[in-house]
Amino acid sequence: MTMNVLGYAAPSAKAALAPYQFERRDMRNDDVGIEILYCGICHSDLHEVNNDWDRNSIYPMVPGHEIIGRVVSVGPDVTRFKPGDQVGVGCMVDSCQNCAACKQGLEQYCEKGPTLTYDDKDRYDQMPTYGGYSEKIIVREKFVLRIPEGLDLKGVGPLLCAGITTWSPLRHWRVSEGSNVGVIGLGGLGHMALKLAKALGANVTLFSRSPGKEQDARSLGADNIVISTDGEQMAAVNNKFELIIDTVPYVHDLNPYLPSLSINGTLVLVGLLGNLEPTLNTVPLIMGRKSVAGSAIGGIAETQELLNFCGQHGITADVEVIKIQDVNEAYKRMFKSDVKYRFVIDMASLKS
Amino acid sequence: MTMNVLGYAAPSAKAALAPYQFERRDMRNDDVGIEILYCGICHSDLHEVNNDWDRNSIYPMVPGHEIIGRVVSVGPDVTRFKPGDQVGVGCMVDSCQNCAACKQGLEQYCEKGPTLTYDDKDRYDQMPTYGGYSEKIIVREKFVLRIPEGLDLKGVGPLLCAGITTWSPLRHWRVSEGSNVGVIGLGGLGHMALKLAKALGANVTLFSRSPGKEQDARSLGADNIVISTDGEQMAAVNNKFELIIDTVPYVHDLNPYLPSLSINGTLVLVGLLGNLEPTLNTVPLIMGRKSVAGSAIGGIAETQELLNFCGQHGITADVEVIKIQDVNEAYKRMFKSDVKYRFVIDMASLKS
C-alpha cells in the first residue's frame, strides 16, 4: 500500500524543480505520518539536485531535510507521538541501530550508513526516499523530533541541519560559560554557530573576509569580529580559541587559523568536503597539541537536546520564508549567498 | 663564574662530532649540578647537528637531551634533590613559567618557547645551552626529573624523549584498559609507544610496511600487526582505533589510516614536521568526527608521571650502549634505522 503525495522535484540532475506527484509508502507499525508545514532549503539541496557529490543520485528528486510539521497519524507501535503534535525531521530517517555508532546515539555515523531523508533508499522496501518539499512524509518514530512549544515554527526547520551541525561540535568539544569559540564563515551554519555558542555562554568571535558583516555578526551573538586577511587582527587572537567551527563549504586555506587555536584547541570542519588545498603544515599542530577534525550533523538524541535548548532560549534561525513556486529563484540566490540566512518554504503554498 | 666541561660537539653544521672543552655556567641558587652517566641519541640530534630544521643553530653544538645522571651539587634553594640522587633531564631545561601552557604544566608548549637542553640560549645569561654528550650539566631544579629505583639506567634516558613523546598522547587521549591503539612506525618512538600502550592495558596494533617486524613488535607489546600496504588487512581494522600514534618522521600519506580510526578517533602526529603530502581528504574526518592532531614531547609533571609508571612496570627502552668515540658511526647507523631501538652513550667512555 502506498499513498499519493504532491511535492516539488528535480526531474534530472541540474534541472529546475517542478511539481511532482509521487508515491510514499503506507504507514508501518512504528511510523509517524506528518503533514509538512515548513521546509528549510539547505545548501546541500542544491548540491544534491546538481549531483555535485556524484552520489548516484536518484531522480526525480524531492529535496528537503529541514522539515517541520504536524502529526496526522501514528502506527500502532508508536508511543511518543499523537496526532496534532509539532514535530520535525532532519537529515536522516533511519539507521542500522546496531553498530557502535548507532549504539552511542550517533546515527549520523552509522557504520552501514544512515538512511537519508531524500535521495536514498528505504532500508526495508528499497523505495526511494523523498524529502520535505512535499505535503506529507512518513517517518520511523525513532527519527521524529519533538518541537518545543513557543518557537516560531518558520525558523525551526533549519535547526535540524544548520543548527545541529554546529551544535554537535559545540557540545562534543564541551563549550560552556567562558569558552573562547571562533566561527569561520557567516552563512546558514555560521549564523547558527554564533547564536548557539553565545547561548552556551561562550565568548564568540567571527572570522570573516568582509568587514561589512560586523553589524550582523554582533546582533547574532558575536563578541568580536576578526578580518581573516588582516595579519595584525589574526596575530591578536593567537592561542585564543579552544574551538573553531569552520563552516565554509568551499576550498580554503586552514593554515592561517591554526595559530589562533589555544593549546589543545580544535578546528572542526563542518562544511568542506574534499581535499585540503593548500595542504596542512603540521608544525602548529605539534607545537600546541592542536587538532583538525570533522563533524557531520548530529545524532537524534543530541538533535532533540538542541531543540529543547532552543525552546528554553528562544532560539530559531533567521529565515526568509518563500512559496514553493519560488524555489528555483531561491536556489539561484542561495548560490550567491544572497540570503539571511536560510530560505524556508511555507508548504501551504503547495496547495495554491 | 663558569665551569669547564668536556663533551663532544659538532663544530659546524653537518660536521662530525669531536671532543670539545666548553664553559657551563656556575650554579644558581635553584640549580642542580649533575654528573652525566648516560645520554640517549635521539633522531633529532642528527637533524640539529645538520641544521635540517633551519633553526639558526649554534655551533659548536653539544647534542643530547636524554640525560641520566647523579646529583653532585645543589644550590641553596633546591629542596627536592640532594647529592647522590639519580636524576634525568629531557628536552627542556627552562620555560617562562607564566603563560597559560606553563601554568597547565605543559612547558613544552610555553608561549614564549621553552629553553631547549641544547642549541638554545639560557633565559637569564643568554649563554648557549649544551646537551648531554658531556661530563656534567647544570639544570634548574624544576626541570630535573627523579629516576625511580630499580630500573637499569642504561635504558632510562630514552624515556625522556622517545618515551614521553608517546606517553603524553596516550594519557591526553585517555588510553586505558581495553582501548584500541594503533602505532605507525617501529623506531625509537614506535617501540616505546608499543610498550607504554600495552602497559596501560590497551589492545595494541603496529602498522608497518615490512612484514619482517612482526616478531619484534609482538615481543614489545603489539597484539596485532597490520601491513599498511595490504588493502585487506587495512579493511579488517576499519573503525577500530580510538588513537593512532604516528611516529614516522618523514613525509607519508595519512589518508589510508583515517578509515581505521573509530568514531571520535584521533590520529596524532609526533614525528612529522612539515607539510602533509599528499594532502588530507576531509570526508573520513567529517563522516566519523575524526581528528588529525599533533603532539610534542610532554610537560615536566607528566614526564615524572611516566618515569614513575615505568618504575612500577619495569619499563625501559631497548638500547644499544656505545662509547662516545663511536657517536659518528652511530649517527650513520641511526640514519639507516639500523638500531634496536635507541643508541645510548655510556658517558664513562669520555674519560677513557
Side-chain angles (χ1 to χ4, degrees):
Chain A
M1 276 279 290
T2 58
M3 67 163 87
N4 203 276
V5 173
L6 177 63
Y8 258 58
S12 59
K14 303 187 202 306
L17 276 69
Y20 176 58
Q21 201 77 44
F22 61 100
E23 299 292 310
R24 289 199 186 273
R25 70 164 187 265
D26 201 6
M27 302 275 286
R28 295 179 192 138
N29 287 353
D30 61 349
D31 272 345
V32 176
I34 301 162
E35 180 195 3
I36 299 173
L37 301 174
Y38 297 102
C39 185
I41 299 180
C42 173
H43 216 280
S44 65
D45 294 350
L46 182 57
H47 288 298
E48 290 287 349
V49 162
N50 288 344
N51 200 20
D52 287 336
W53 294 328
D54 208 11
R55 293 201 325 111
N56 292 316
S57 290
I58 305 163
Y59 297 93
M61 180 192 298
V62 179
H65 59 208
E66 297 182 345
I67 299 168
I68 299 297
R70 204 170 290 282
V71 174
V72 288
S73 53
V74 293
D77 295 347
V78 169
T79 58
R80 295 187 302 118
F81 299 100
K82 60 179 192 310
D85 286 353
Q86 287 180 8
V87 292
V89 178
C91 301
M92 307 178 285
V93 289
D94 208 350
S95 75
C96 87
Q97 301 285 305
N98 261 316
C99 69
C102 284
K103 284 181 178 163
Q104 290 174 69
L106 298 169
E107 300 87 351
Q108 77 272 36
Y109 305 129
C110 173
E111 291 175 15
K112 298 187 175 166
T115 305
L116 302 178
T117 303
Y118 69 89
D119 194 20
D120 204 348
K121 285 188 176 162
D122 183 87
R123 297 186 106 77
Y124 302 98
D125 63 20
Q126 310 306 318
M127 275 177 73
T129 59
Y130 296 110
Y133 299 4
S134 61
E135 294 173 287
K136 283 186 188 162
I137 192 166
I138 308 291
V139 179
R140 186 177 176 177
E141 178 183 22
K142 282 202 169 173
F143 287 76
V144 177
L145 287 314
R146 183 171 298 284
I147 307 299
E149 296 299 317
L151 293 175
D152 182 347
L153 291 184
K154 296 182 197 67
V156 176
L159 300 179
L160 301 169
C161 174
I164 186 62
T165 299
T166 54
W167 177 256
S168 181
L170 287 167
R171 294 288 287 159
H172 180 68
W173 278 280
R174 299 201 178 87
V175 165
S176 60
E177 198 71 35
S179 302
N180 287 304
V181 174
V183 174
I184 309 178
L186 183 54
L189 272 64
H191 101 287
M192 285 310 310
L194 295 181
K195 289 188 183 206
L196 295 172
K198 189 65 190 172
L200 282 166
N203 185 288
V204 188
T205 297
L206 177 72
F207 291 98
S208 176
R209 294 188 303 181
S210 23
K213 294 188 175 171
E214 174 142 6
Q215 205 80 28
D216 283 2
R218 287 194 187 275
S219 75
L220 290 165
D223 299 287
N224 309 290
I225 287 84
V226 168
I227 303 302
S228 56
T229 51
D230 182 322
E232 225 168 280
Q233 290 192 33
M234 289 296 277
V237 291
N238 215 19
N239 289 323
K240 177 160 181 170
F241 302 104
E242 289 100 271
L243 182 68
I244 296 177
I245 302 184
D246 183 337
T247 71
V248 176
Y250 46 79
V251 170
H252 60 289
D253 189 359
L254 305 190
N255 290 295
Y257 300 101
L258 301 182
S260 71
L261 287 173
S262 68
I263 306 291
N264 299 330
T266 298
L267 183 150
V268 60
L269 297 160
V270 296
L272 174 61
L273 288 162
N275 286 338
L276 292 181
E277 302 290 357
T279 193
L280 285 180
N281 184 288
T282 67
V283 175
L285 298 180
I286 290 177
M287 295 311 174
R289 196 156 61 192
K290 299 174 181 182
S291 300
V292 170
S295 181
I297 47 174
I300 292 300
E302 62 184 346
T303 307
Q304 189 62 61
E305 177 197 65
L306 163 67
L307 289 166
N308 297 346
F309 180 87
C310 288
Q312 284 152 24
H313 290 78
I315 296 172
T316 55
D318 286 14
V319 301
E320 182 175 335
V321 179
I322 63 162
K323 295 178 183 165
I324 186 85
Q325 292 79 5
D326 297 328
V327 65
N328 294 301
E329 180 60 25
Y331 273 26
K332 284 179 199 152
R333 286 183 50 201
M334 180 172 64
F335 187 72
K336 295 182 290 184
S337 302
D338 174 24
V339 56
K340 286 180 179 178
Y341 286 91
R342 209 67 157 177
F343 287 112
V344 168
I345 305 164
D346 180 349
M347 216 50 68
S349 61
L350 198 56
K351 292 173 186 133
S352 66
Chain B
M1 277 276 290
T2 59
M3 69 162 87
N4 202 276
V5 174
L6 176 64
Y8 258 57
S12 60
K14 301 189 205 305
L17 276 70
Y20 176 58
Q21 201 74 44
F22 62 100
E23 299 293 308
R24 288 200 186 273
R25 72 163 186 265
D26 199 9
M27 302 274 289
R28 294 177 192 140
N29 287 353
D30 61 347
D31 272 345
V32 177
I34 301 163
E35 181 198 1
I36 300 173
L37 301 173
Y38 298 101
C39 186
I41 300 180
C42 172
H43 215 281
S44 64
D45 294 350
L46 182 58
H47 288 297
E48 291 287 348
V49 163
N50 287 343
N51 200 19
D52 286 338
W53 293 329
D54 209 11
R55 293 203 321 115
N56 291 317
S57 290
I58 306 165
Y59 298 92
M61 180 193 296
V62 179
H65 60 208
E66 296 183 344
I67 299 169
I68 298 299
R70 203 169 291 282
V71 174
V72 287
S73 54
V74 294
D77 295 347
V78 168
T79 58
R80 295 188 301 117
F81 298 100
K82 59 178 193 310
D85 286 355
Q86 287 180 8
V87 293
V89 178
C91 301
M92 307 178 285
V93 290
D94 210 348
S95 75
C96 86
Q97 300 285 306
N98 263 317
C99 69
C102 285
K103 284 182 177 160
Q104 291 175 67
L106 298 170
E107 300 88 352
Q108 75 274 34
Y109 305 129
C110 173
E111 289 175 14
K112 297 186 175 167
T115 306
L116 302 180
T117 303
Y118 69 90
D119 195 20
D120 205 348
K121 285 185 178 164
D122 183 87
R123 300 184 104 78
Y124 302 97
D125 63 20
Q126 310 305 317
M127 276 177 71
T129 58
Y130 296 110
Y133 299 3
S134 62
E135 293 173 287
K136 284 183 187 164
I137 192 165
I138 309 290
V139 179
R140 184 177 178 177
E141 178 183 21
K142 281 204 170 172
F143 287 76
V144 178
L145 287 312
R146 185 172 296 284
I147 308 300
E149 298 296 320
L151 292 175
D152 182 348
L153 292 184
K154 298 183 196 70
V156 174
L159 300 178
L160 300 168
C161 174
I164 185 62
T165 299
T166 54
W167 177 255
S168 182
L170 286 168
R171 294 286 289 158
H172 181 67
W173 278 281
R174 301 203 177 83
V175 166
S176 61
E177 197 71 35
S179 302
N180 287 303
V181 174
V183 174
I184 308 178
L186 182 55
L189 273 63
H191 100 287
M192 285 310 310
L194 295 182
K195 289 187 183 207
L196 295 173
K198 188 64 192 174
L200 282 166
N203 185 288
V204 188
T205 296
L206 176 73
F207 289 99
S208 177
R209 293 188 303 181
S210 23
K213 294 187 175 171
E214 173 143 7
Q215 203 82 26
D216 284 2
R218 287 194 187 275
S219 73
L220 290 164
D223 299 288
N224 309 289
I225 287 86
V226 168
I227 303 302
S228 55
T229 51
D230 182 324
E232 224 167 279
Q233 289 191 32
M234 289 297 278
V237 291
N238 215 19
N239 288 322
K240 176 160 182 169
F241 302 104
E242 289 100 272
L243 182 68
I244 295 177
I245 301 184
D246 184 337
T247 71
V248 176
Y250 47 79
V251 170
H252 60 288
D253 189 358
L254 305 190
N255 290 297
Y257 299 102
L258 301 181
S260 70
L261 288 172
S262 67
I263 306 295
N264 298 328
T266 297
L267 183 149
V268 58
L269 296 161
V270 295
L272 175 61
L273 289 161
N275 286 338
L276 291 181
E277 303 289 356
T279 193
L280 284 179
N281 185 288
T282 68
V283 175
L285 298 180
I286 290 176
M287 295 311 174
R289 195 156 60 193
K290 299 174 182 182
S291 299
V292 171
S295 181
I297 47 172
I300 294 299
E302 62 185 345
T303 307
Q304 189 62 60
E305 177 196 66
L306 163 65
L307 289 166
N308 297 346
F309 180 86
C310 288
Q312 285 153 24
H313 291 78
I315 295 173
T316 55
D318 287 13
V319 300
E320 181 175 337
V321 179
I322 63 162
K323 296 177 183 167
I324 186 87
Q325 292 79 5
D326 297 330
V327 66
N328 294 302
E329 179 59 26
Y331 273 28
K332 283 179 199 152
R333 286 182 49 200
M334 182 173 63
F335 187 71
K336 293 182 293 185
S337 302
D338 175 23
V339 55
K340 285 182 179 178
Y341 285 91
R342 210 67 156 175
F343 287 112
V344 168
I345 305 166
D346 181 349
M347 215 50 68
S349 60
L350 198 54
K351 292 169 187 138
S352 64

